[in-house]
Amino acid sequence: MTSQQLPLWRRAVAELLGTSLLVMIVVGSGIAAEQLSPNDIGLQLLQNSTATVLGLTVLILVLGPVSGAHFNPVVSLVDWVLGRRSGTGLTLPDLGTYVVAQTVGGISGSVIANAMFEVATSISVKDRTTSGHLLGEVVATAGLVLLIFALAATKRGALAAPAVGAYIGAAYWFTSSTSFANPAVAVGRIFSDTFAGIAPASVPGFVIAQLVGAAVGVGLLAILFPTASRNADDVVIPRSSEAANR
């Protein structure tokens, strides 16, 4: 079987599970950081970002052969857009299914993280809507898109797990928004009024900024890697035909 013959339901399960675990890692480590270092925000961010780097790397390695390990509606959208040129990547039904699975996964990840730490699931009141935060999301998302699709275009998809983990870890620190760069993660983090939370009113601005960032990333790809659309099947990492064995 080729990667495109993998059952959509199986890929959707991988995307839901991966996004759920990613948000569990982000929210859970944020709660743990608050409890362990209540008076040091810098140390809290270090603990949160370290857990995210390691956890995301592992998730990509485990689930990438099944679904490509997008865990991010922006990545799936760009994969679909670029793939239209060459008949590769996600189809429109794939895209819709991925986005729904990722969003459900993000919400469930917050709820489960809250439950593990015996914190009530509640809507976050942490306002993150400033011009600096929104610019940070544009920059973070553009860089993420450029990284992922550049690796695929240059046949270095095997490096995606450590590279994406490292980029997100760095972007925690060099962007003012702490690099959400992911609409599903942003929606999921609404449901935890903790260190990693985000107020619902901040999410639309974040999602718009992430879409703008994705467009910037696609523009940079067109300039730097004009053949990137031919490798949409290899995003984030190539899906293995062996994963389709029934």
Side-chain angles (χ1 to χ4, degrees):
M1 282 188 176
T2 66
S3 62
Q4 286 301 311
Q5 293 174 307
L6 286 164
L8 179 56
W9 69 265
R10 190 177 296 171
R11 288 181 278 143
V13 169
E15 286 297 300
L16 190 155
L17 177 61
T19 312
S20 182
L21 287 168
L22 174 58
V23 174
M24 275 186 238
I25 291 165
V26 173
V27 173
S29 64
I31 297 171
E34 280 186 311
Q35 295 177 352
L36 294 169
S37 309
N39 300 313
D40 192 333
I41 294 177
L43 185 55
Q44 290 173 10
L45 187 60
L46 178 61
Q47 293 161 340
N48 191 209
S49 61
T50 300
T52 302
V53 169
L54 298 174
L56 179 56
T57 300
V58 170
L59 291 176
I60 293 173
L61 288 172
V62 172
L63 297 171
V66 180
S67 67
H70 294 191
F71 312 149
N72 188 333
V74 162
V75 173
S76 299
L77 176 62
V78 174
D79 184 58
W80 175 75
V81 169
L82 293 181
R84 295 317 89 216
R85 300 179 184 178
S86 57
T88 58
L90 298 180
T91 65
L92 191 58
D94 289 345
L95 173 62
T97 302
Y98 269 46
V99 170
V100 170
Q102 291 156 355
T103 304
V104 173
I107 295 170
S108 68
S110 263
V111 173
I112 295 170
N114 292 333
M116 286 193 292
F117 286 90
E118 299 182 359
V119 173
T121 293
S122 57
I123 302 301
S124 176
V125 297
K126 184 171 288 189
D127 181 21
R128 297 179 184 264
T129 306
T130 69
S131 59
H133 286 149
L134 297 180
L135 178 58
E137 283 301 289
V138 172
V139 172
T141 309
L144 180 64
V145 167
L146 179 61
L147 168 63
I148 289 170
F149 288 86
L151 288 175
T154 54
K155 306 296 185 182
R156 293 178 296 162
L159 298 175
V164 171
Y167 175 78
I168 292 298
Y172 256 86
W173 291 91
F174 78 75
T175 67
S176 58
S177 64
T178 66
S179 183
F180 283 47
N182 185 330
V185 168
V187 170
R189 287 166 68 168
I190 290 173
F191 297 90
S192 187
D193 190 20
T194 60
F195 179 80
I198 180 172
S202 299
V203 171
F206 265 51
V207 172
I208 291 171
Q210 290 157 0
L211 292 173
V212 171
V216 172
V218 170
L220 292 172
L221 279 169
I223 295 169
L224 300 173
F225 302 97
T227 62
S229 62
R230 301 176 187 172
N231 303 99
D233 281 342
D234 296 335
V235 174
V236 171
I237 64 174
R239 283 164 276 163
S240 169
S241 60
E242 293 181 5
N245 291 337
R246 299 178 187 277

